[in-house]
């Protein structure tokens, strides 16, 4: 009886809480966990070497490439008012006309080493590449469909050379895979009839075969990035998705899969009906960044971000606000300061080259990283109250806390409030370690770092080496009596 009541409460709660980030808080109101067959496999973070490495990446690159780069957001001279990679869904575009773009896919200037070189110079530690987007076109020569690069004029595999080139640069590769497939006739949005069910069973087997094929062909891939998993048809496949996840992980130990892949048997996505995350990291931070550490519930997470508004594939015209290098660096700093990674999207052109704007951003980010990446790699939440000048990042397992400064106050004084047991041992510029600061103690555990100048062209980093303060009584300032 009680169990049933709890279950009902859980389901109702979960329906109300469509936003997955709130699921854990919601579940906290449920007293006893319900028995789930296809819920989370684990509570808390993974602690193995592959996941430790993922956690330390800091900066990543996303690549959206496919047939949609050819129309580039335009069809018969008309601008599509949506994300360029969704153009097939536009009423102006017929499915056959779109699918025929395969016969135009011929990126003669594609050079995997050149992309990997750009990524290396930018300082990224992992890349996520679209092997198949919603349109169903495969950038690898899949045996299970004709809709692949093998039947394009280009003929050659794209994924293999990319994996090799990025591996060579020491950049880990994650394969993006859309479950939703607009090309496969067996794909369904929902399953309403027996015929739907039969077709979707075929689709599930097709999906499984393609995924096992990818893992076999590209065994060095570190993870899979699933997308297009929100439709009812897939949400109803808790048992299938669960067993497939287990099969892929058994085949490929260490494989990293985010929370977007599967739903539990009540249709709950990302977080199961008990509020526990399904998958290895929270995959819901898309084009948004948490504000505070409480928002991430102690989970691993990354944020995937576009340069323009919501557009991932190449579009001739970039719409909306175009983010600048410094804005992107600030997002990177914010993500790492809250225990996440930041992943910037690139949408290559149909000829296989990167657009100039993206190359410039990669270069700008790389130039900053060349001096400051020490503050990003292996960084974590520092446990200090955020100040208006920017973000703190602690280097995991060290006594170093980095101040990533984006806003310099007119006073030139940066306030730092340490935890009560620690003090500032040393403070210096990351770009110029010989240049020390002498922090001024302004209160209990509080200091000002006085900058030597007030005009800066770029965000910069100050390193704090913390020292134990438990023996030192420090300054004893009396609190106001009120
Ligand atoms: C608003 O609905 C969306 C937005 C983006 C549905 C799907 C997507 C796809 C994008 O095409 C891109 O691949 C992004 C990562 N994904 C969620």
């Amino acid at each position: 009886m009680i169990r049933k009541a709890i279950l009902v409460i859980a389901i109702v709660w979960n329906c109300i809480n469509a936003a997955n980030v709130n699921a854990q808080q919601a579940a906290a109101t449920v007293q006893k966990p319900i028995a789930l067959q296809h819920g989370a496999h684990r509570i808390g973070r993974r602690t193995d070497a592959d996941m430790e490495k993922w956690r330390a990446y800091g900066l990543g690159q996303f690549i959206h490439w496919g047939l949609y780069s050819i129309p580039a957001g335009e069809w018969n001279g008309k601008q599509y008012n949506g994300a360029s990679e969704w153009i097939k869904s536009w009423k102006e575009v017929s499915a056959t006309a779109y699918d025929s773009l395969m016969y135009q896919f011929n990126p003669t200037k594609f050079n995997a080493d050149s992309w990997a070189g750009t990524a290396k110079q930018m300082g990224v530690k992992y890349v996520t590449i679209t092997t198949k987007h919603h349109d169903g076109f495969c950038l690898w020569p899949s045996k299970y469909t004709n809709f692949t690069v093998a039947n394009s004029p280009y003929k050659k595999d794209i994924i293999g050379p990319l994996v090799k080139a990025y591996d060579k640069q020491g950049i880990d590769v994650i394969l993006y895979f859309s479950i939703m497939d607009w090309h496969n006739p067996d794909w369904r949005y929902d399953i309403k009839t027996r015929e739907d069910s039969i077709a979707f069973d075929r689709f599930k087997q097709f999906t499984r075969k393609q995924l096992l094929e990818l893992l076999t062909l590209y065994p060095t891939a570190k993870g899979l990035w699933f997308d297009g998993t929100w439709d009812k048809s897939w949400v109803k496949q808790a048992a299938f998705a669960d067993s497939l996840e287990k099969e892929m992980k058994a085949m490929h130990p260490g494989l990293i899969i985010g929370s977007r892949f599967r739903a539990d048997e009540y249709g709950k996505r990302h977080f199961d009906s008990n509020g526990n995350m399904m998958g290895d990291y929270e995959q819901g931070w898309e084009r948004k960044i948490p504000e505070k550490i409480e928002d991430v519930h102690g989970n691993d997470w990354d944020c995937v971000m576009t340069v323009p508004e919501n557009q991932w594939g190449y579009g001739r015209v970039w719409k909306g606000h175009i983010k600048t290098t410094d804005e992107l660096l600030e997002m990177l700093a914010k993500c790492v300061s809250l225990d996440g990674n930041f992943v910037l999207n690139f949408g290559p052109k149909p000829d296989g080259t990167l657009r100039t704007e993206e190359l410039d951003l990669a270069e700008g980010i790389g130039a900053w990283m060349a001096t400051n990446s020490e503050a990003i790699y292996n960084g974590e939440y520092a446990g200090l109250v955020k100040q208006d000048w920017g973000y703190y990042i602690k280097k995991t397992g060290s006594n170093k806390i980095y101040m990533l400064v984006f806003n310099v106050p007119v006073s030139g004084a940066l306030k730092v409030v340490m935890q009560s047991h620690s003090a500032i041992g040393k403070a210096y510029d990351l770009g110029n370690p010989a240049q020390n600061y002498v922090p001024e103690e302004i209160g209990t555990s509080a200091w000002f770092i006085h900058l030597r100048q007030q005009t800066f062209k770029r965000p910069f980093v100050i390193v704090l080496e913390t020292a134990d303060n438990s023996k030192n009584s420090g300054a004893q300032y009396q609190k106001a009596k009120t």
Side-chain angles (χ1 to χ4, degrees):
M1 257 303 263
I2 294 170
R3 216 184 163 78
K4 254 196 186 153
I6 290 168
L7 197 139
V8 169
I9 292 167
I11 293 172
V12 169
W13 254 117
N14 292 332
C15 292
I16 295 167
N17 280 279
N20 61 59
V21 282
N22 293 326
Q24 287 191 337
Q25 285 153 340
T29 64
V30 178
Q31 277 151 20
K32 214 170 139 199
I34 56 172
L36 286 174
Q37 301 222 323
H38 306 297
H41 292 166
R42 182 194 62 252
I43 292 175
R45 293 174 168 204
R46 255 171 71 171
T47 53
D48 57 283
D50 290 296
M51 202 64 206
E52 296 279 1
K53 197 175 175 208
W54 188 96
R55 194 169 292 140
Y57 289 149
L59 178 61
Q61 180 188 34
F62 212 143
I63 295 174
H64 274 75
W65 202 31
L67 298 182
Y68 41 79
S69 69
I70 299 170
E74 290 171 6
W75 201 264
N76 290 336
K78 275 195 226 167
Q79 274 278 328
Y80 171 52
N81 202 14
S84 73
E85 72 281 2
W86 275 71
I87 200 165
K88 185 179 175 177
S89 69
W90 193 20
K91 59 175 180 358
E92 304 272 336
V93 180
S94 83
T96 13
Y98 183 87
D99 290 356
S100 302
L101 290 170
M102 176 168 76
Y103 303 110
Q104 287 180 50
F105 188 77
N106 196 14
T108 48
K109 293 189 189 153
F110 171 61
N111 181 330
D113 287 316
S114 153
W115 288 16
T118 296
K120 179 74 178 180
Q121 177 276 328
M122 175 178 162
V124 312
K125 292 286 188 183
Y126 69 131
V127 63
T128 304
I129 305 166
T130 48
T131 61
K132 174 176 100 163
H133 202 257
H134 309 333
D135 63 3
F137 182 70
C138 302
L139 289 185
W140 85 100
S142 177
K143 277 195 289 196
Y144 306 105
T145 171
N146 290 324
F147 198 43
T148 82
V149 274
N151 294 313
S152 74
Y154 187 69
K155 291 197 176 71
K156 290 169 280 186
D157 183 16
I158 298 284
I159 301 302
L162 279 176
V163 173
K164 203 171 148 203
Y166 277 83
D167 277 354
K168 205 161 78 189
Q169 293 284 13
I171 300 171
D172 284 347
V173 177
I174 313 266
L175 304 175
Y176 168 108
F177 185 93
S178 171
I179 296 290
M180 175 165 72
D181 185 324
W182 298 332
H183 181 80
N184 191 312
D186 291 330
W187 164 259
R188 294 291 183 281
Y189 289 94
D190 197 357
I191 297 163
K192 292 189 173 138
T193 65
R194 210 178 108 73
E195 284 67 37
D196 286 343
S197 172
I198 292 166
F200 206 72
D201 277 345
R202 279 196 301 268
F203 183 78
K204 278 149 60 184
Q205 288 318 315
F206 163 73
T207 298
R208 173 177 170 271
K209 283 190 214 148
Q210 283 206 319
L211 287 167
L212 301 189
E213 182 182 45
L214 282 171
L215 292 177
T216 307
L217 289 174
Y218 314 112
T220 59
K222 294 288 184 287
L224 293 167
W225 205 101
F226 286 101
D227 205 6
T229 52
W230 42 75
D231 288 304
K232 283 186 184 145
S233 51
W234 182 254
V235 171
K236 288 172 181 170
Q237 309 305 326
F240 174 79
D242 192 10
S243 87
L244 181 53
E245 183 173 310
K246 286 178 179 145
E247 184 179 14
M248 293 188 293
K249 287 197 165 182
M251 178 175 168
H252 195 115
L255 190 70
I256 293 166
I257 296 178
S259 65
R260 207 181 279 205
F261 180 51
R262 62 191 178 91
D264 76 2
E265 57 263 53
Y266 297 105
K268 220 31 208 83
R269 302 180 60 238
H270 297 274
F271 294 88
D272 69 17
S273 299
N274 291 319
N276 297 315
M277 191 178 67
M278 291 174 288
D280 299 318
Y281 66 95
E282 194 188 342
Q283 209 186 335
W285 296 104
E286 180 167 317
R287 301 184 63 257
K288 61 179 187 231
I289 300 174
E291 277 306 318
K292 50 190 191 308
I293 197 70
E294 290 75 21
D295 297 341
V296 305
H297 308 291
N299 290 313
D300 284 308
W301 63 277
D302 67 5
C303 161
V304 292
M305 185 57 69
T306 53
V307 177
E309 288 310 310
N310 194 8
Q311 169 161 298
W312 302 79
Y314 175 69
R316 209 181 51 76
V317 180
W318 257 356
K319 287 165 214 137
H321 172 63
I322 311 302
K323 297 169 193 77
T324 64
T325 304
D326 287 350
E327 279 175 78
L328 295 167
L329 286 173
E330 180 157 2
M331 290 178 176
L332 165 66
K334 188 170 181 181
C335 288
V336 178
S337 80
L338 295 173
D339 275 349
N341 294 325
F342 180 72
V343 179
L344 185 64
N345 182 67
F346 287 68
K349 296 197 279 191
D351 67 1
T353 62
L354 298 174
R355 67 193 304 154
T356 327
E357 296 94 325
E358 287 176 350
L359 285 170
D360 289 349
L361 289 170
E363 198 186 307
I365 291 171
W368 187 87
M369 288 290 279
T371 308
N372 300 298
S373 66
E374 191 188 309
I376 299 296
Y377 303 144
N378 223 353
E380 65 181 26
Y381 173 62
L384 303 182
V385 176
K386 191 192 167 321
Q387 303 292 331
D388 290 340
W389 45 255
Y391 307 88
Y392 292 110
I393 293 174
K394 181 176 157 40
K395 184 142 213 108
T396 307
S398 82
N399 70 333
K400 284 184 181 163
I401 291 177
Y402 300 87
M403 297 166 62
L404 289 84
V405 184
F406 288 84
N407 306 298
V408 174
V410 288
S411 66
L414 307 182
K415 189 174 176 181
V416 174
V417 181
M418 303 291 277
Q419 284 170 349
S420 56
H421 57 274
S422 69
I424 302 175
K426 265 189 185 172
Y428 51 91
D429 286 330
L430 180 55
N432 186 7
Q435 197 73 87
N436 273 285
Y437 293 97
V438 182
E440 179 202 357
E441 195 166 6
I442 56 166
T444 309
S445 307
W447 283 267
F448 269 150
I449 290 189
H450 295 282
L451 298 172
R452 282 177 291 271
Q453 65 190 90
Q454 279 157 266
T455 315
F456 295 86
K457 290 208 173 78
R458 305 296 306 280
F460 60 94
V461 178
I462 293 172
V463 189
L464 303 178
E465 290 185 10
T466 60
D468 186 15
N469 196 30
S470 50
K471 286 183 217 82
N472 179 358
S473 59
Q476 298 292 329
Y477 301 98
Q478 264 189 300
K479 284 209 177 98
K481 288 192 173 69
T482 56

